[in-house]
Amino acid sequence: GSEDDGDRDKYMDDVFVQSMEMEMDPCISTNELRIFVGTWNVAGRSPVGSLAVDLEEWLNLRDAADVYVIGFQEIVPLKARTVIGTEDPTEATNWNQLIGKILNGKDGCPALTAMLNTTVSDSYHYVRGQPSIQNEEPNHCSRYKLMASKKMVGVFISVWMKRELLKRYCISSVKVCSVACGIMGYLGNKGSVSVSMSIEGTNFCFIAAHLASGEKRGDEGRRNHQVSEIFRRTIFPRLPRDGGSPHPLTILGHDKIFWFGDLNYRLYLEDNLARLLIKKQDWRALQEFDQLQRELEDGGVFEGWKEGNIKFAPTYKYSSSNCNRYSGGLPGRAGEKQRTPAWCDRILWYGKGVKQHSYFRGESKFSDHRPVSALFSTHVEMVKSAKARVAPLPPSIPTTVPSDFTLSETLFEVAQCQELFWKLQHLLHQSL
């Protein structure tokens, strides 16, 4: 409707952190960065040691990336006590330990550091070669460093970067935000966890999401609504320690954005016909019935976003762990859920200068979903000039915010005021 269009236009207009002089500034050069993005719904199962082989294959260290961004869904069973109860970091820590072990391999440290349980609740900065974050671990024997990690019920994101890049780049304003939009629109069984960070002069945003399930007609509307809510309610507040480089408040204020997860979009197709096309491995024909593909083509909630060409089988739903057969079908099996196979697990991106090199699924049988990953390359703007391009925040706008970035209505109102100020300033600049 017109209200949704207005919201979308508002966030598409989020340009307060963009420098209008960037492209013409001779003091800016670019460096290439390789980013691995992965998503996996692990069906409430805890990581086990034997999973290391599957994880290593999925992370594809033979073609190692500079940054690893990994999103999980259902790292805990979605039961009342986990959805309503207090957050338990145990499973997030277990996954971080396993990821760190795989990424750092033989070069890894024998002892786990406190950073394995990182949940960013404040912003911090890395000035080339001189990390200013407090409690920086003294042991530097690992290749990859955990930069940020955030859990909300079963949704979990973990961001790792090559340690050598911390000497080469200035990493700043690492922030997190969680948006719960599940039961009653506000519980964390569904929603997103996001990480925002600046690498030199380029702002990155990574969103790991788990959207509403269901394959009945109309269920895609619930998913679309949750996407809109995540756009609306994801806020990365500015803090005094951000210094003279204002950081984006909203998702669409970033230069490069990656949205991934169990997005749960299904097929507009009868079960038997879907299975027939899968048997033929006719992925192009199958994609014509894909709900998310329709959204991308029709300019829905993901207007302007991109996805790589899908050349792999649907990733959901497999019959059980350690099984390569889709659930349901004919003849049916007792106690087995009837589900039409679908590409529920997806990776999208938004922004200029992003190139996708691969998009594939892993074959681990650990879950009823198959893991999905993509390798990207993009360029980071190296700012050589300290010249300020954006005015500081006005003194009338509060700059002190709670350390917990789970969105509150008050915080959202403050962010809207900040955003309005920068838009007005931008319009004023254009009129001069």
Side-chain angles (χ1 to χ4, degrees):
S2 58
E3 184 177 346
D4 292 338
D5 292 340
D7 285 343
R8 186 163 58 247
D9 291 342
K10 179 178 68 174
Y11 290 107
M12 289 294 288
D13 235 5
D14 184 12
V15 294
F16 52 86
V17 294
Q18 306 297 329
S19 168
M20 292 180 290
E21 302 172 11
M22 279 287 191
E23 294 182 1
M24 297 181 291
D25 195 328
C27 295
I28 293 178
S29 60
T30 60
N31 278 6
E32 186 175 83
L33 195 71
R34 287 161 53 84
I35 302 174
F36 174 100
V37 178
T39 178
W40 196 0
N41 184 320
V42 293
R45 298 190 65 191
S46 299
V48 293
S50 59
L51 187 61
V53 175
D54 291 352
L55 201 61
E56 184 172 2
E57 179 182 346
W58 181 43
L59 297 180
N60 192 24
L61 292 175
R62 289 169 296 181
D63 190 20
D66 298 311
V67 179
Y68 280 85
V69 184
I70 306 168
F72 293 95
Q73 304 80 44
E74 296 188 41
I75 66 168
V76 296
L78 299 183
K79 299 178 180 178
R81 61 181 177 83
T82 57
V83 174
I84 301 175
T86 57
E87 286 284 356
D88 182 350
T90 303
E91 293 303 326
T93 302
N94 291 340
W95 280 106
N96 273 337
Q97 287 178 349
L98 185 56
I99 294 167
K101 180 179 179 181
I102 299 302
L103 289 179
N104 292 317
K106 296 179 181 179
D107 299 325
C109 301
L112 294 169
T113 68
M115 284 298 288
L116 281 176
N117 193 25
T118 297
T119 299
V120 176
S121 59
D122 210 340
S123 68
Y124 59 87
H125 303 255
Y126 276 85
V127 179
R128 294 186 193 90
Q130 297 180 328
S132 60
I133 183 174
Q134 294 182 350
N135 301 322
E136 168 71 359
E137 69 269 30
N139 214 329
H140 287 252
C141 55
S142 57
R143 290 178 59 209
Y144 288 88
K145 176 177 176 58
L146 178 61
M147 300 299 296
S149 175
K150 179 67 174 175
K151 171 185 177 293
M152 180 190 71
V153 187
V155 190
F156 175 58
I157 189 171
S158 186
V159 179
W160 299 72
M161 179 179 288
K162 277 186 177 177
R163 189 175 290 277
E164 64 188 65
L165 297 185
L166 301 179
K167 301 176 182 178
R168 188 187 311 169
Y169 299 135
C170 175
I171 316 297
S172 63
S173 299
V174 182
K175 302 176 181 180
V176 297
C177 179
S178 59
V179 174
C181 51
I183 299 170
M184 297 185 295
Y186 286 96
L187 291 186
N189 59 307
K190 295 293 188 290
S192 67
V193 288
S194 306
V195 172
S196 172
M197 63 192 301
S198 293
I199 304 177
E200 289 291 333
T202 304
N203 301 313
F204 289 85
C205 187
F206 306 104
I207 307 105
H210 191 187
L211 303 182
S213 60
E215 58 181 33
K216 300 188 301 294
R217 274 202 176 268
D219 285 340
E220 69 275 18
R222 294 193 298 134
R223 293 184 270 276
N224 292 342
H225 175 71
Q226 289 178 345
V227 171
S228 298
E229 284 293 287
I230 292 169
F231 274 125
R232 186 178 71 87
R233 293 162 54 191
T234 299
I235 300 294
F236 302 103
R238 295 202 185 114
L239 301 175
R241 67 182 63 192
D242 287 347
S245 300
H247 193 75
L249 284 174
T250 63
I251 290 174
L252 289 174
H254 293 74
D255 301 309
K256 325 280 185 181
I257 314 167
F258 300 86
W259 186 306
F260 48 98
D262 180 1
L263 307 188
N264 252 321
Y265 286 95
R266 308 303 174 94
L267 298 172
Y268 292 119
L269 191 62
E270 294 180 7
D271 183 78
N272 61 328
L273 296 177
R275 292 173 189 268
L276 180 61
L277 290 175
I278 291 171
K279 188 175 182 180
K280 293 180 178 179
Q281 297 188 13
D282 193 345
W283 312 135
R284 179 172 295 183
L286 198 61
Q287 282 182 72
E288 293 180 8
F289 301 95
D290 179 69
Q291 292 178 349
L292 182 53
Q293 193 65 36
R294 296 267 182 96
E295 284 296 319
L296 292 169
E297 292 173 355
D298 297 344
V301 289
F302 283 113
E303 181 178 3
W305 289 69
K306 297 179 181 178
E307 181 184 24
N309 189 22
I310 299 176
K311 296 181 179 179
F312 51 83
T315 54
Y316 175 82
K317 170 179 172 62
Y318 283 88
S319 180
S320 62
S321 59
N322 202 29
C323 181
N324 259 338
R325 184 179 60 82
Y326 288 111
S327 179
L330 296 174
R333 299 194 179 187
E336 191 171 84
K337 292 183 178 179
Q338 179 68 38
R339 295 287 186 271
T340 301
W343 287 296
C344 289
D345 310 281
R346 312 289 277 270
I347 300 172
L348 310 177
W349 76 91
Y350 186 91
K352 296 180 180 179
V354 177
K355 181 179 180 181
Q356 187 182 69
H357 297 276
S358 63
Y359 191 23
F360 59 92
R361 62 172 244 173
E363 296 304 328
S364 173
K365 301 173 185 176
F366 183 73
S367 164
D368 57 354
H369 288 251
R370 295 296 180 260
V372 172
S373 62
L375 181 64
F376 298 92
S377 65
T378 188
H379 286 88
V380 172
E381 293 178 337
M382 303 290 290
V383 182
K384 299 179 182 178
S385 170
K387 177 184 176 183
R389 291 183 174 82
V390 186
L393 284 172
S396 59
I397 300 296
T399 56
T400 302
V401 298
S403 62
D404 185 2
F405 284 168
T406 302
L407 187 69
S408 68
E409 291 301 318
T410 302
L411 183 56
F412 181 60
E413 290 171 3
V414 170
Q416 282 186 314
C417 291
Q418 288 181 321
E419 184 174 301
L420 178 60
F421 169 81
W422 288 104
K423 284 183 180 177
L424 290 173
Q425 187 182 55
H426 174 65
L427 291 172
L428 180 62
H429 181 87
Q430 282 186 320
S431 65
L432 294 177

